[in-house]
Amino acid sequence: MANRTGTAQRPNGQTQGKICQFKLVLLGESAVGKSSLVLRFVKGQFHEYQESTIGAAFLTQTVCLDDTTVKFEIWDTAGQERYHSLAPMYYRGAQAAIVVYDITNQDTFGRAKTWVKELQRQASPNIVIALAGNKQDLANKRMVEFEEAHAYADEHGLLFMETSAKTAMNVNDIFLAIAKKLPKNEQAGAPGGGGQGRRLVDGDTGPKAAGNCCK
Amino acid sequence: MDEEYDAIVLGTGLKECILSGMLSVSGKKVLHVDRNKYYGGESASICPLEELFSKFGAPPPDESYGRGRDWNVDLIPKFLMANGLLVKLLIHTGVTRYLEFKSVEGSYVYKGGKISKVPVDQKEALASDLMGMFEKRRFRNFLIYVQDFSDADPKTWKDFDPNTQNMQALYDKFGLEKSTQDFTGHALALYRNDDYLNDPAVNTIKRIKLYSDSLARYGKSPYLYPMYGLGELPQGFARLSAIYGGTYMLDKPIDEIVIGEGGKVAGVRSGTEVAKCKQVYCDPSYVPDRVRKSGQVIRCICLLDHPIANTKDALSTQIIIPQKQVGRNSDIYVSLVSYTHQVAAKGWFIAMVSTTVETENPENEIKPGLDLLGSIRQKFVSISDYYVPTDNGLDSQIFISESFDATTHFETTCLDVLDIFKRGTGEEFDFSKIKHELGDEE
């Protein structure tokens, strides 16, 4: 996924600043709330009994910074993490990742550390990684201390927040923090980023410029 | 694993992944298993390069090959026809959004020891060095006829019945020379041998149209190739299946396909676990007792540090050596991709020479293809058996795909998939079942 950037045109022809597009992947054990975080961020919704991910694994949402619009292309695992069957394609070209664990479940924090290692092995070297301790609304059942996770995140250069998809706490904030940290220049996509190919669309005719980058 | 499924799919080759996606989209509960740790089976792209060298028992690559992780080497060479069935499947299923493609830069045909660009329109026909002056005009008239031809409008048939008269008769009608027939049938219509000459002309006309319509889509050549290699294709369809609820398990050995009453499949056993199911879909390697060997394909992977001569330094290309040019019964294919497709380290090219095996010495058969490549830094030869199912699945409910054939594109792959789907479900695949609001893709 190239770091596609363009300049938005308003109807009256005025330019609006640049738009940068980034691929963001979610990782974490089953049932820690990956899909719920995305659903909260993209649609402002929360379902107490969110089904295992079905039928929504490619969502986009934009975040506005000063003069830049950051568009996230968000990839959910579609359940393929369950038996450790995520395809290399999932990591390919990802410029940001949110690794999610459940603060009421110590095992999911251990697994989160494994996912961070996996990202460092499989993804592009300059990927921006955020660690999200989800289900903060259940803090009375907390099993993972804030300080412990915070120290781990610091040590590994990760962004860190405790979030709640249920109450919306820190959900927009964590995406915003990632948006701020992402490089918004021409080199941002390379080397692990965009392959400089083209996407196929219906009724596509004639060659088009492939994968524009930030100007 | 101990659950009951509508269908269990074994193997994550491209055909199985497309089927798995189509079944999940159709509302079936699918379990998709592979004995390997990776997606793609035979249609995987091997990464890193060290893995490829060790697979073929070669000593590890030296430093000149760059970073091993920059390589994704296909085991089976194929391109997508830009207007072909696989592109239609990719677009209709939305899988295209996970992938990026590049056009293949050139398409060449071999004649009399050298290669020439395949002429596809009137302008190229007149400039081509494949034909003499008068022959060029006859070929141009033939191309115009094909271009204007409409299946539904007999007026465009011009006193020729394409449904009853054969292709040889159509060539003769335009007075085309044997060598022109050769590149038309093999490099434009992409037939592997000359059997088509006796078939109704309409089939060949349609294939030439597919070639020229594909070419019209992106220019340069009718072929597309995915960034990071063909192994991305099965992964994309697997993701589609997962999004629609399919369960994925890699690295899971399959010990037995459990048969129940009346010879009908009842489940699949791995160790002590048994997953029950109504149907199994699989590649031939999971059911050796229900397939037969019908031939062999030789494929030779060649790593080059230069492009192929006389292709204008194309970074990707296809060269077809028509059978008759080298005294064979089936064509030899050469395909080339490079670092621009993120399948090789900077400055490197991957050529693949392949054909259907006809003799006891298959390596000698591909020599005319290897000779076109110039110096080869590393060569890996594989000879694979081509299997076809002996069980059509209607009683056993075990539906088996054919091995990948020697064709250069995915048209036969898709026809096999659509046929299996129809046998398995009793209906044609309904593209309208795919929700287009799978997220807010613009």
Side-chain angles (χ1 to χ4, degrees):
Chain A
M1 267 20 59
N3 176 18
R4 283 182 194 80
T5 306
T7 308
Q9 291 285 139
R10 282 190 178 148
N12 62 8
Q14 275 185 323
T15 55
Q16 203 186 2
K18 58 184 179 181
I19 303 175
C20 285
Q21 183 163 316
F22 295 99
K23 173 176 172 179
L24 180 149
V25 296
L26 285 152
L27 290 165
E29 273 305 81
S30 302
V32 294
K34 297 184 294 296
S35 300
S36 294
L37 279 175
V38 177
L39 200 63
R40 171 60 80 185
F41 174 58
V42 174
K43 297 192 168 160
Q45 296 170 348
F46 179 78
H47 303 298
E48 191 75 49
Y49 300 103
Q50 173 73 32
E51 280 185 46
S52 292
T53 312
I54 287 185
F58 194 89
L59 295 162
T60 58
Q61 177 67 297
T62 54
V63 169
C64 291
L65 300 175
D66 303 331
D67 61 335
T68 311
T69 305
V70 170
K71 184 172 181 186
F72 284 115
E73 190 181 287
I74 304 165
W75 289 47
D76 204 336
T77 57
Q80 282 177 304
E81 82 285 7
R82 198 147 32 120
Y83 301 102
H84 317 296
S85 302
L86 270 178
M89 160 185 274
Y90 189 71
Y91 302 98
R92 189 101 67 207
Q95 291 132 312
I98 303 182
V99 178
V100 188
Y101 68 92
D102 171 354
I103 66 160
T104 69
N105 182 334
Q106 183 71 40
D107 289 349
T108 66
F109 181 58
R111 279 294 301 160
K113 292 179 184 173
T114 314
W115 285 115
V116 170
K117 276 193 207 121
E118 186 74 0
L119 277 168
Q120 284 160 346
R121 196 173 66 85
Q122 295 244 29
S124 107
N126 30 24
I127 187 167
V128 174
I129 304 173
L131 181 67
N134 195 37
K135 306 196 187 178
Q136 201 281 336
D137 51 287
L138 302 176
N140 57 336
K141 295 185 197 159
R142 171 190 293 279
M143 299 299 287
V144 183
E145 290 309 319
F146 180 91
E147 289 74 21
E148 182 190 359
H150 195 260
Y152 168 80
D154 270 356
E155 194 185 327
H156 291 82
L158 320 177
L159 294 165
F160 172 64
M161 287 183 197
E162 285 195 347
T163 57
S164 167
K166 188 172 182 176
T167 67
M169 184 187 117
N170 278 344
V171 174
N172 288 348
D173 306 69
I174 198 162
F175 283 91
L176 192 63
I178 293 167
K180 282 185 183 152
K181 202 175 168 187
L182 281 163
K184 285 147 217 88
N185 54 44
E186 200 150 344
Q187 287 76 44
Q196 280 92 52
R198 64 207 319 282
R199 291 236 178 124
L200 305 178
V201 287
D202 209 1
D204 203 350
T205 51
K208 279 185 220 136
N212 297 333
C213 269
C214 285
K215 285 167 194 109
Chain B
M1 190 174 176
D2 297 310
E3 274 187 64
E4 185 161 355
Y5 298 87
D6 291 321
I8 297 179
V9 183
L10 304 177
T12 55
L14 178 59
K15 289 183 184 183
E16 283 65 39
C17 286
I18 299 176
L19 280 164
S20 176
M22 286 165 53
L23 291 164
S24 291
V25 163
S26 305
K28 303 269 192 275
K29 187 177 174 189
V30 175
L31 172 66
H32 199 162
V33 182
D34 198 308
R35 61 165 88 85
N36 297 318
K37 280 190 186 115
Y38 54 88
Y39 282 93
E42 274 210 81
S43 47
S45 306
I46 304 299
C47 172
L49 190 63
E50 291 76 11
E51 177 94 22
L52 180 75
F53 276 63
S54 85
K55 187 181 165 70
F56 285 94
D62 63 43
E63 282 152 25
S64 65
Y65 290 93
R67 274 205 318 178
R69 275 196 57 194
D70 290 341
W71 293 77
N72 292 287
V73 184
D74 301 333
L75 297 176
I76 293 175
K78 281 187 192 294
F79 289 138
L80 289 83
M81 297 290 287
N83 212 30
L85 284 168
L86 184 54
V87 168
K88 289 199 172 93
L89 272 169
L90 283 165
I91 290 174
H92 284 287
T93 55
V95 170
T96 177
R97 75 188 84 185
Y98 308 136
L99 303 163
E100 290 180 59
F101 291 88
K102 255 187 165 44
S103 288
V104 172
E105 290 180 17
S107 174
Y108 290 82
V109 63
Y110 177 99
K111 188 194 168 193
K114 64 188 192 80
I115 58 172
S116 303
K117 192 164 187 308
V118 178
V120 281
D121 58 23
Q122 303 166 30
K123 208 175 121 216
E124 282 192 1
L126 292 177
S128 175
D129 56 0
L130 284 166
M131 297 164 281
M133 207 192 355
F134 294 108
E135 180 68 0
K136 280 180 184 173
R137 262 189 233 155
R138 291 187 286 267
F139 182 62
R140 179 173 165 267
N141 292 337
F142 171 77
L143 280 183
I144 294 173
Y145 175 85
V146 170
Q147 216 158 37
D148 294 344
F149 180 91
S150 161
D151 213 5
D153 182 4
K155 266 184 284 173
T156 65
W157 302 355
K158 308 257 173 73
D159 304 321
F160 182 88
D161 189 344
N163 297 306
T164 57
Q165 292 181 270
N166 68 23
M167 194 57 205
Q168 187 60 58
L170 187 64
Y171 283 144
D172 293 343
K173 179 181 158 77
F174 285 89
L176 295 184
E177 290 168 6
K178 272 284 167 215
S179 65
T180 310
Q181 299 179 16
D182 228 23
F183 78 70
T184 305
H186 294 264
L188 289 178
L190 301 172
Y191 284 110
R192 279 173 288 172
N193 55 48
D194 272 350
D195 297 348
Y196 77 99
L197 289 169
N198 300 316
D199 291 340
V202 64
N203 301 334
T204 305
I205 294 172
K206 282 187 182 160
R207 289 173 77 134
I208 299 173
K209 274 177 154 327
L210 170 64
Y211 190 98
S212 55
D213 290 349
S214 293
L215 187 85
R217 258 186 116 145
Y218 302 109
K220 288 184 190 169
S221 87
Y223 304 111
L224 296 170
Y225 184 80
M227 306 299 288
Y228 305 103
L230 296 176
E232 298 294 282
L233 296 166
Q235 292 178 44
F237 283 100
R239 183 165 167 79
L240 172 76
S241 180
I243 289 169
Y244 279 88
T247 301
Y248 274 82
M249 286 184 187
L250 299 182
D251 200 13
K252 191 92 183 162
I254 297 302
D255 297 310
E256 185 190 353
I257 294 181
V258 183
I259 304 296
E261 262 174 63
K264 196 172 163 297
V265 71
V268 165
R269 181 174 68 79
S270 174
T272 55
E273 296 174 288
V274 176
K276 288 184 197 149
C277 66
K278 300 188 183 91
Q279 297 186 313
V280 162
Y281 293 79
C282 64
D283 73 48
S285 69
Y286 288 87
V287 279
D289 54 332
R290 291 171 194 264
V291 295
R292 75 179 161 81
K293 182 177 153 184
S294 82
Q296 284 186 314
V297 181
I298 176 166
R299 301 179 174 108
C300 180
I301 299 169
C302 304
L303 308 184
L304 314 177
D305 50 14
H306 56 82
I308 298 178
N310 307 314
T311 60
K312 296 187 178 142
D313 290 349
L315 297 168
S316 55
T317 193
Q318 173 174 278
I319 304 168
I320 292 178
I321 306 177
Q323 38 150 19
K324 272 199 201 134
Q325 291 291 328
V326 286
R328 294 173 48 77
N329 298 317
S330 43
D331 296 352
I332 300 170
Y333 298 118
V334 179
S335 67
L336 179 84
V337 290
S338 65
Y339 61 94
T340 51
H341 307 93
Q342 316 277 3
V343 294
K346 183 85 182 152
W348 284 90
F349 295 75
I350 305 169
M352 186 99 82
V353 183
S354 60
T355 193
T356 305
V357 172
E358 294 177 2
T359 68
E360 292 297 307
N361 187 358
E363 276 200 66
N364 200 42
E365 294 183 48
I366 55 170
K367 194 169 176 298
L370 295 174
D371 288 346
L372 295 173
L373 301 181
S375 67
I376 298 168
R377 284 286 299 274
Q378 182 73 45
K379 204 168 78 173
F380 300 114
V381 178
S382 68
I383 295 164
S384 20
D385 294 336
Y386 181 84
Y387 291 103
V388 293
T390 52
D391 174 358
N392 68 9
L394 295 177
D395 296 323
S396 65
Q397 294 296 297
I398 299 172
F399 300 94
I400 308 154
S401 62
E402 293 184 10
S403 308
F404 287 94
D405 60 29
T407 58
T408 59
H409 48 73
F410 287 106
E411 298 308 294
T412 51
T413 306
C414 292
L415 290 173
D416 191 24
V417 164
L418 292 170
D419 182 57
I420 292 169
F421 184 83
K422 194 175 172 187
R423 263 186 280 141
T425 63
E427 52 195 75
E428 309 269 356
F429 181 61
D430 180 1
F431 285 103
S432 69
K433 277 194 179 135
I434 293 159
K435 288 180 283 181
H436 273 290
E437 67 281 14
L438 265 184
D440 55 351
E441 170 79 335
E442 67 268 66

